[in-house]
């Protein structure tokens, strides 16, 4: 009886070991790349997967979106400004077969490709474009990465530039440039105001010249404004026509 029990126990252990080696359960977001005697035989999942022990092997692949930080990169812009730029990368696997077979480590490969692409793309632009046109640069980097990782079965959905770090001297230079730009705009606005005021004065002078009565009314209005002010000094405007008549009388 003891020998029989030992035999049954060994048989049960063998069955458990066989089932544990043969049965795999994959979640909804997982796929299994199956190899039979080293050769690719298909992608399975999700759900219950049964393998032939010691003949078939399976590699799990996660299909969820992966968020990966791109380390800070030293970039020299087209206008010869040295900056440090880092970014964040969003991608996911769309073809589990190619992600396992075509590249040894798709995570490392994608991260290294993102670093070189970030330096290459930003090096073609000036510093002002890096600071003001991030959306366009993000789109360019994402498009290039998506094209290059397509052979690995990877879809790059988004790339976001996080920080553009400048040294202290460059920050001071940018502040001076911004201040000079504000002063320039203020002077332009002031000059535009003077130009518009001069145009209005010319227009008003033409209208007053056409109607002498209007000039007389304007003269009375000026006297009324002067009389209403509490001042020890009174400026009395004298019409030029009256002054000409007086000068003519003195000449005679």
């Amino acid at each position: 009886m003891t020998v029989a029990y030992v035999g049954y126990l060994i048989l049960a252990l063998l069955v458990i070991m066989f089932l544990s080696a043969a049965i795999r359960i994959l979640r909804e977001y997982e796929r299994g790349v199956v190899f039979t005697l080293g050769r690719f035989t298909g992608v399975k999942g999700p759900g219950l997967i049964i393998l032939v022990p010691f003949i078939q092997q399976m590699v799990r692949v996660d299909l969820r979106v992966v968020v990966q930080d791109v380390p800070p990169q030293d970039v020299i812009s087209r206008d010869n400004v040295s900056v440090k730029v880092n970014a964040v990368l969003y991608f996911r696997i769309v073809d589990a077969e190619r992600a396992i077979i075509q590249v040894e480590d798709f995570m490392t490969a994608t991260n290294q490709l993102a670093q070189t692409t970030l330096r290459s793309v930003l090096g073609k632009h000036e510093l002002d474009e890096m600071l003001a046109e991030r959306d366009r640069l993000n789109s360019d980097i994402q498009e290039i990465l998506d094209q290059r990782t397509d052979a690995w079965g990877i879809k790059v959905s988004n790339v976001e530039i996080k920080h553009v770090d400048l040294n202290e001297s460059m920050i001071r230079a940018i502040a001076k440039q911004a201040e000079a730009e504000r002063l320039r705009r203020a002077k332009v606005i002031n000059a535009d105001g003077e130009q518009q005021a001069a145009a209005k004065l010319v227009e008003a002078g033409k209208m007053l010249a056409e109607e002498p009565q209007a000039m007389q009314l304007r003269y009375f209005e000026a006297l009324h404004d002067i009389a209403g002010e509490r001042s020890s000094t009174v400026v009395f405007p004298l019409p030029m026509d009256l002054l000409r008549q007086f000068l003519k009388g003195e000449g005679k």
Side-chain angles (χ1 to χ4, degrees):
M1 295 295 292
T2 305
V3 175
Y5 287 143
V6 172
Y8 289 141
L9 181 60
I10 293 174
L11 181 60
L13 291 175
L14 290 175
V15 172
I16 293 174
M17 292 176 60
F18 178 84
L19 293 177
S20 63
I23 296 176
R24 296 287 188 275
I25 297 177
L26 298 180
R27 298 181 179 88
E28 183 66 32
Y29 54 84
E30 291 180 326
R31 297 296 183 270
V33 181
V34 179
F35 296 90
T36 302
L37 296 177
R39 296 183 63 87
F40 170 75
T41 54
V43 178
K44 297 184 179 181
L48 179 64
I49 308 298
I50 298 177
L51 304 174
V52 180
F54 310 110
I55 295 177
Q56 290 183 323
Q57 293 83 33
M58 186 187 72
V59 180
R60 291 176 181 263
V61 179
D62 195 326
L63 302 184
R64 292 177 294 182
V65 175
V66 178
V67 181
Q68 197 173 73
D69 278 329
V70 180
Q73 302 296 307
D74 291 323
V75 179
I76 298 179
S77 63
R78 193 172 64 181
D79 51 351
N80 296 324
V81 178
S82 178
V83 296
K84 280 186 175 293
V85 182
N86 64 341
V88 60
L89 178 66
Y90 301 85
F91 67 92
R92 62 185 179 89
I93 295 176
V94 294
D95 191 334
E97 174 189 352
R98 287 187 290 174
I100 297 301
I101 296 176
Q102 298 297 329
V103 61
E104 179 182 3
D105 186 352
F106 64 88
M107 295 285 288
T108 303
T110 304
N111 187 271
Q112 293 296 322
L113 181 60
Q115 295 180 34
T116 57
T117 304
L118 183 66
R119 290 195 300 267
S120 176
V121 172
L122 296 183
K124 299 177 182 178
H125 296 80
E126 297 182 356
L127 177 62
D128 292 340
E129 295 175 345
M130 295 184 195
L131 299 176
E133 301 181 6
R134 289 195 181 185
D135 292 338
R136 182 170 64 86
L137 295 177
N138 292 336
S139 178
D140 293 343
I141 297 172
Q142 182 268 332
E143 183 178 353
I144 294 173
L145 285 176
D146 191 33
Q147 291 176 355
R148 295 184 179 179
T149 57
D150 184 66
W152 303 338
I154 294 175
K155 171 66 178 177
V156 178
S157 58
N158 194 14
V159 178
E160 292 289 341
I161 297 175
K162 294 173 64 177
H163 301 291
V164 179
D165 296 329
L166 305 172
N167 54 39
E168 293 296 330
S169 60
M170 183 54 61
I171 293 176
R172 289 193 295 269
I174 292 176
K176 290 181 180 179
Q177 181 182 2
E179 183 179 0
E181 178 65 20
R182 288 193 295 269
L183 291 175
R184 184 189 68 83
R185 291 180 182 178
K187 291 181 179 179
V188 169
I189 293 174
N190 188 28
D192 289 340
E194 294 291 340
Q195 183 181 5
Q196 294 176 7
K200 292 297 183 181
L201 288 174
V202 171
E203 183 180 354
K206 291 180 179 179
M207 294 178 63
L208 292 174
E210 294 176 357
E211 296 292 338
Q213 295 83 358
M215 187 62 188
Q216 191 69 22
L217 292 174
R218 188 70 183 89
Y219 173 70
F220 290 148
E221 183 179 358
L223 289 177
H224 180 270
D225 293 340
I226 293 173
E229 294 182 359
R230 297 180 179 179
S231 175
S232 60
T233 303
V234 177
V235 179
F236 185 79
L238 184 65
M240 296 300 296
D241 294 338
L242 180 61
L243 184 61
R244 291 194 187 98
Q245 294 295 331
F246 178 77
L247 293 176
K248 288 181 180 179
E250 288 293 332
K252 292 180 181 181

